[in-house]
Amino acid sequence: MEMPEFLETDPPSDCPCDDCARGRLADRWARTAPPAPVPVPWRPAVPTVAVTVLGTAVGTGAAHAAAAPEAAAPATARTGTASAPAAHTPMRLTRAQIIERASRWTDAAVPYSMSRTWSDGYRQDCSGFVSMAWGLGSNEWTGSLDEYAVRIAREDLRPGDMLLHHDPANPRDGSHVTLFGGWTDPSRSWYVAYEAARPHARKQATPYAYWDDSGKYLPYRYKHVVEEGAQERPPDTGSSSGADGPPDGDGPSYEGSPYDGGSSYGGGSSYGGAFPGAGSFGPGRHGDHVLLLGERLVHRGFAAHYRQGPSRTWSEADRRNVAAFQRAQGWSGPDADGFPGPETWRRLFP
């Protein structure tokens, strides 16, 4: 049966909806990639095109990766509809829209993969994640993302900017990229990173610029970001210093940062709620309250013993960071044993 033709009105080339973004991605693939033998339907009543995506890999701990152009992943196919292919145009997005798009993957815990694509058509690795958040309409890699950005200074970083480490000599095993989500502490030594890494996309407090190879990461700003005029608020100069040096009062609240008052990261004065009980913390304990404690310690500047950031499972790093906070209150002995009690909780969440 012959397929009927339909007259369509093309939307604007930079339309931010998911369908249009997938269409732009399919059009770009159709122009730049060789055909694959088995197409996978995406939208009805359309000719089929096929693509081969570049593979990347991200490790944990000491090694994260992004693939060189020579490292091709298994072919993936998409189809698109249009009376004529629309020109590839990266999306113009506000910072809030970039973070919202990144949050779709972190909220869904999109599994990491260097060869698979998510339902929006973007590859499920670190550079595919940034390509998606920025709405590039193509799956870039760490060696090409800088073409869509401009270098900035560390002090100019704002939510939606990028921290990029690309190693031309070893791009597959030595490269990684994250999205900057806002500073977490007054010294601006920790920030919220949005990233695709094993086992899945995540958002977590991270030391600047990263857990390893920190000096090799460079800050960039998306060329097509739409600035809304919001400026970061200055640090709270009313906080004092504790015995160990980190700030004893609340840290600053930065506009656009997940650590704003009332956020899920405990920036607000009442977020901690009632003390969950001493039995909630210690070896073998697990739950949201453990993660909340760790994130609050990061926010207050007591995170020196974390190597991979706080988690929902109690660790020795949690105990040592709590002990540092307790010593900063002037406590010692059993009062600074690293296990939170009601007064430690009250001072962490004043």
Side-chain angles (χ1 to χ4, degrees), residues 218-234:
L218 300 174
Y220 286 86
R221 176 157 299 159
Y222 181 40
K223 286 181 179 179
H224 303 288
V225 67
V226 179
E227 300 289 2
E228 298 175 293
Q231 300 295 321
E232 291 182 343
R233 294 191 291 271

Side-chain angles (χ1 to χ4, degrees), residues 96-121:
Q97 287 173 322
I98 292 172
I99 295 300
E100 188 276 331
R101 289 172 65 87
S103 296
R104 296 179 195 175
W105 276 31
T106 59
D107 291 346
V110 173
Y112 169 82
S113 173
M114 69 179 186
S115 59
R116 298 175 60 188
T117 58
W118 195 236
S119 58
D120 54 14

Side-chain angles (χ1 to χ4, degrees), residues 52-56 67-73 114 123 125 139 141:
T52 300
V53 263
L54 302 178
T56 67
E70 298 78 24
M114 69 179 186
R123 196 177 55 244
D125 60 10
N139 278 301
W141 67 299

Side-chain angles (χ1 to χ4, degrees), residues 191-195 202-206 210-211 265 308-310:
Y191 71 103
V192 176
Y194 291 79
E195 61 181 333
R202 64 194 181 195
K203 173 184 70 175
Q204 68 174 7
T206 302
Y210 203 65
W211 301 99
Y265 279 81
Q308 291 294 329

Side-chain angles (χ1 to χ4, degrees), residues 64 66-70 141-144 146 164-176 216 218 220:
H64 292 267
E70 298 78 24
W141 67 299
T142 56
S144 62
D146 62 344
L164 174 67
H165 167 32
H166 175 63
D167 183 356
N170 187 18
R172 185 175 183 86
D173 297 324
S175 302
H176 188 49
K216 298 180 181 179
L218 300 174
Y220 286 86

Side-chain angles (χ1 to χ4, degrees), residues 87-338:
H88 166 63
T89 305
M91 297 171 67
R92 291 177 54 80
L93 299 169
T94 65
R95 296 184 181 280
Q97 287 173 322
I98 292 172
I99 295 300
E100 188 276 331
R101 289 172 65 87
S103 296
R104 296 179 195 175
W105 276 31
T106 59
D107 291 346
V110 173
Y112 169 82
S113 173
M114 69 179 186
S115 59
R116 298 175 60 188
T117 58
W118 195 236
S119 58
D120 54 14
Y122 287 96
R123 196 177 55 244
Q124 296 166 215
D125 60 10
C126 64
S127 48
F129 176 79
V130 174
S131 298
M132 175 277 301
W134 280 2
L136 298 184
S138 58
N139 278 301
E140 301 301 324
W141 67 299
T142 56
S144 62
L145 280 170
D146 62 344
E147 298 174 9
Y148 297 86
V150 293
R151 279 285 306 277
I152 59 174
R154 168 179 174 168
E155 55 267 25
D156 294 328
L157 276 165
R158 297 185 62 198
D161 293 336
M162 170 180 74
L163 286 165
L164 174 67
H165 167 32
H166 175 63
D167 183 356
N170 187 18
R172 185 175 183 86
D173 297 324
S175 302
H176 188 49
V177 61
T178 73
L179 277 180
F180 179 83
W183 297 109
T184 71
D185 64 325
S187 65
R188 299 192 176 193
S189 56
W190 286 70
Y191 71 103
V192 176
Y194 291 79
E195 61 181 333
R198 290 187 175 93
H200 54 70
R202 64 194 181 195
K203 173 184 70 175
Q204 68 174 7
T206 302
Y208 187 86
Y210 203 65
W211 301 99
D212 53 309
D213 293 324
S214 178
K216 298 180 181 179
Y217 283 76
L218 300 174
Y220 286 86
R221 176 157 299 159
Y222 181 40
K223 286 181 179 179
H224 303 288
V225 67
V226 179
E227 300 289 2
E228 298 175 293
Q231 300 295 321
E232 291 182 343
R233 294 191 291 271
D236 178 6
T237 57
S239 60
S240 59
S241 295
D244 286 345
D248 190 31
D250 270 344
S253 178
Y254 298 105
E255 191 160 337
S257 166
Y259 284 78
D260 280 348
S263 75
S264 60
Y265 279 81
S269 61
S270 61
Y271 181 77
F275 177 56
S280 299
F281 305 98
R285 301 303 180 185
H286 180 88
D288 289 343
H289 52 278
V290 177
L291 177 61
L292 174 62
L293 173 70
E295 290 174 338
R296 187 60 172 175
L297 287 166
V298 171
H299 176 67
R300 297 294 297 274
F302 295 87
H305 300 290
Y306 287 131
R307 292 188 177 274
Q308 291 294 329
S311 74
R312 288 178 170 79
T313 300
W314 178 268
S315 68
E316 176 63 11
D318 292 310
R319 190 197 68 78
R320 295 174 71 182
N321 286 329
V322 171
F325 175 81
Q326 291 169 331
R327 290 193 300 271
Q329 313 311 303
W331 305 338
S332 61
D335 293 329
D337 59 4

